[in-house]
Amino acid sequence: MAGQVCWTVMIQAMQAKKTIRPQRDRLLQLRRQMEQLSPGDDDDHKSRNMELASGLFNVCYSGLGIASRMLASCMELAAKDGARLAINRAFAAMPDEQLHDALVAQRLPARPTTQTEAFSRVEAAFNAVKVTEEHHIPLCIQHLVGQRPVHMVHGKNGLENPAPVPDTPVDLDKARDYLDRACTLADLAVKHIDLAVVVLSSFMDPKVVANLCEVTDKRASILQGGPYPAD
């Protein structure tokens, strides 16, 4: 892939970019809603919590889950086409609770110029999206309503038959903490993939880039579900 970028790789990167951003915006909107919640066991409080949990669940399965698969596909296709990938193996083995701090503290070139540096940004975006989708949002929901959705109960790295997660007391402070972390990582993923797409685009014919932008714009409109208001 030296000197060029395959259009199939680029379309996955562009589509991921246009999928992650609206999900980040949605998470910020949901965080504002969570700030208005107050503790309580009556039906009204439970209904508000469930409504917010439903919104978070949709972010995972209608946005972040799709984006993580696109980012993974982007790297897989790039590797098959001979791209040089500087994969950070340490992140794959790191416990989920440590990944947030590690990703926030990760030092990458401020202005990537090579394809390898650009794909490092794609990998960083993938890790940020994946841990948000599989760890932070599920735990936020669990502390928000006292129970994790059954479809969000899975093992690390896709292990089958994980141990069941028992019901937990509702704890809005813990729910807010996990949502704060999810918002931080989603915003980080947006920044990483934005830079990656800019750099990878520079290795392509501008006309091809323009055509891919049109294609991904049409597809992204299906996934956004936005725009989301600032207030």
Side-chain angles (χ1 to χ4, degrees):
M1 184 182 273
Q4 63 179 356
V5 175
C6 178
W7 72 269
T8 55
V9 171
M10 194 63 195
I11 202 168
Q12 292 296 320
M14 284 184 169
Q15 188 69 70
K17 169 186 173 179
K18 294 173 182 179
T19 303
I20 296 170
R21 182 176 291 275
Q23 305 313 316
R24 186 275 312 271
D25 294 344
R26 176 61 169 154
L27 284 176
L28 292 174
Q29 184 195 48
L30 292 170
R31 183 170 67 179
R32 288 190 289 272
Q33 292 179 17
M34 183 176 285
E35 290 171 353
Q36 305 303 314
L37 296 180
S38 58
D41 294 328
D42 57 81
D43 289 343
D44 182 60
H45 283 88
K46 290 180 180 179
S47 176
R48 289 174 182 271
N49 290 5
M50 287 298 298
E51 181 179 359
L52 185 56
S54 177
L56 290 166
F57 184 88
N58 288 335
V59 167
C60 273
Y61 284 89
S62 297
L64 295 181
I66 294 171
S68 67
R69 290 192 291 274
M70 289 173 177
L71 292 166
S73 178
C74 178
M75 291 188 290
E76 289 170 4
L77 291 169
K80 288 180 181 178
D81 284 339
R84 183 179 176 184
L85 305 180
I87 301 297
N88 190 330
R89 305 294 179 186
F91 284 143
M94 190 174 293
D96 289 329
E97 283 293 334
Q98 296 179 16
L99 263 178
H100 171 273
D101 292 345
L103 289 168
V104 171
Q106 187 178 16
R107 294 291 179 263
L108 294 170
R111 295 181 179 275
T113 57
T114 67
Q115 289 184 29
T116 301
E117 290 175 350
F119 284 121
S120 291
R121 293 283 180 167
V122 175
E123 183 202 6
F126 170 78
N127 285 322
V129 169
K130 197 69 174 174
V131 74
T132 300
E133 169 204 354
E134 294 188 347
H135 182 70
H136 291 96
I137 293 181
L139 282 174
C140 175
I141 293 175
Q142 183 174 337
H143 289 297
L144 183 61
V145 299
Q147 190 176 48
R148 196 181 310 189
V150 65
H151 292 94
M152 287 183 159
V153 179
H154 50 71
K156 174 74 172 175
N157 298 326
L159 297 178
E160 296 181 357
N161 300 320
V165 177
D167 291 354
T168 57
V170 171
D171 189 325
L172 293 183
D173 287 337
K174 288 184 178 180
R176 290 189 183 103
D177 182 60
Y178 279 111
L179 186 51
D180 283 345
R181 288 168 173 257
C183 289
T184 297
L185 291 180
D187 189 58
L188 193 63
V190 168
K191 293 174 181 176
H192 283 316
I193 195 61
D194 280 356
L195 278 172
V197 168
V198 168
V199 176
L200 294 176
S201 296
S202 69
F203 291 93
M204 299 187 72
D205 185 318
K207 292 182 179 179
V208 174
V209 174
N211 288 335
L212 292 179
C213 282
E214 290 183 8
V215 172
T216 53
D217 278 344
K218 293 176 181 177
R219 293 184 179 180
S221 63
I222 300 173
L223 301 172
Q224 287 184 6
Y228 302 109
D231 298 317

